[in-house]
Amino acid sequence: MELNKYIDHTLLKATATKNDIIKLCNEAKTYNFFSVCVNSCYVSLAKAELKNTDIKVCSVIGFPLGAMSTNAKVQETKQALKDGADEIDMVLNIGFLKSKDFDAVCKDIEAVKNEMPNNTLKVILETCYLEEIEIIKASELAISSGANFIKTSTGFGTGGATLNDVKLMKSVIGKSGAKIKASGGIRDTKTALEYINIGVERIGTSNGIAIVTESPSEEKNY
């Protein structure tokens, strides 16, 4: 198993500088991670740094709250794709989900997916704010709206991935072909393998180097 190819090497904090993003890209090249995951303002920089490699650029959209208008998410997506994003991680509208306005949740996701029929869309559920039944419902809605992956967390909520949340998400997938990305709090090799062993196909972490080198993490927050 090539652990490095499960990893979206991630830097999303508000204080991340251009130099931090360049360092992130250099680390991704050194360890041959699957992708780097950055805020949308840094997509063009990451794309330029990763030129002539097969490392993907992933942009978050509507991050971290998911509460902006659908049109804002669509425009951010368009710009990220124009700047060279290969994959998009969008945050589901959690307030709409909790309002039981499931139609609005779906339309929000569908509008983004319509901009990127051939690119990978991951929908972040932010499971730390959801009851078990809401995790199941959010997973169903995201998959029916075109999500290629359902993702546990932003890393900016009250908690990250849990094995139980992933098992609930997995129970919904069935024959849909959708995959799971676990993120938030995955900081070491043992934890990463626990998730992979229950069927996670991508891991979002700022501790990718610690995971692939089996060294202690620097306790980064994602």
Side-chain angles (χ1 to χ4, degrees), residues 85-125:
D86 301 291
E87 300 191 340
I88 296 291
D89 287 22
M90 74 173 286
V91 187
L92 173 141
N93 192 308
I94 302 154
F96 286 172
L97 179 77
K98 287 190 169 286
S99 304
K100 297 190 166 45
D101 189 349
F102 302 138
D103 191 43
V105 173
C106 289
K107 283 185 171 149
D108 191 55
I109 298 166
E110 286 164 1
V112 171
K113 185 60 187 172
N114 284 342
E115 296 299 326
M116 46 180 292
N118 304 315
N119 295 70
T120 295
L121 175 65
K122 310 187 202 95
V123 175
I124 305 171
L125 312 183

Side-chain angles (χ1 to χ4, degrees), residues 2 6 19 21 23 42 56 60 68 70 79 83 88 90 106 127 134 138 140 142 155 157 161 216 219:
E2 290 185 85
Y6 281 86
N19 282 340
I21 299 299
K23 179 171 180 268
Y42 283 137
K56 307 269 190 253
V60 292
M68 50 292 295
T70 296
Q79 189 63 49
D83 288 344
I88 296 291
M90 74 173 286
C106 289
T127 50
E134 291 173 322
E140 289 170 348
E219 281 301 307

Side-chain angles (χ1 to χ4, degrees), residues 1-138:
M1 178 198 298
E2 290 185 85
L3 252 183
N4 55 313
K5 283 302 182 188
Y6 281 86
I7 289 173
D8 289 345
H9 192 41
T10 302
L11 180 57
L12 297 168
K13 61 187 182 185
T15 52
T17 64
K18 290 181 176 182
N19 282 340
D20 293 333
I21 299 299
I22 291 167
K23 179 171 180 268
L24 183 83
C25 292
N26 285 333
E27 290 169 350
K29 287 189 270 195
T30 300
Y31 294 95
N32 198 20
F33 291 131
F34 186 87
S35 80
V36 298
C37 186
V38 297
N39 280 296
S40 59
C41 69
Y42 283 137
V43 169
S44 54
L45 175 61
K47 194 71 179 178
E49 290 297 316
L50 294 170
K51 208 168 63 152
N52 303 325
T53 74
D54 63 355
I55 299 164
K56 307 269 190 253
V57 176
C58 168
S59 175
V60 292
I61 296 294
F63 193 87
L65 303 178
M68 50 292 295
S69 69
T70 296
N71 187 46
K73 289 180 179 175
V74 167
Q75 296 306 324
E76 189 180 16
T77 300
K78 278 184 177 171
Q79 189 63 49
L81 293 169
K82 193 173 155 190
D83 288 344
D86 301 291
E87 300 191 340
I88 296 291
D89 287 22
M90 74 173 286
V91 187
L92 173 141
N93 192 308
I94 302 154
F96 286 172
L97 179 77
K98 287 190 169 286
S99 304
K100 297 190 166 45
D101 189 349
F102 302 138
D103 191 43
V105 173
C106 289
K107 283 185 171 149
D108 191 55
I109 298 166
E110 286 164 1
V112 171
K113 185 60 187 172
N114 284 342
E115 296 299 326
M116 46 180 292
N118 304 315
N119 295 70
T120 295
L121 175 65
K122 310 187 202 95
V123 175
I124 305 171
L125 312 183
E126 200 67 299
T127 50
C128 62
Y129 296 138
L130 305 181
E131 308 286 333
E132 290 197 351
I133 194 160
E134 291 173 322
I135 293 173
I136 289 166
K137 187 67 182 177

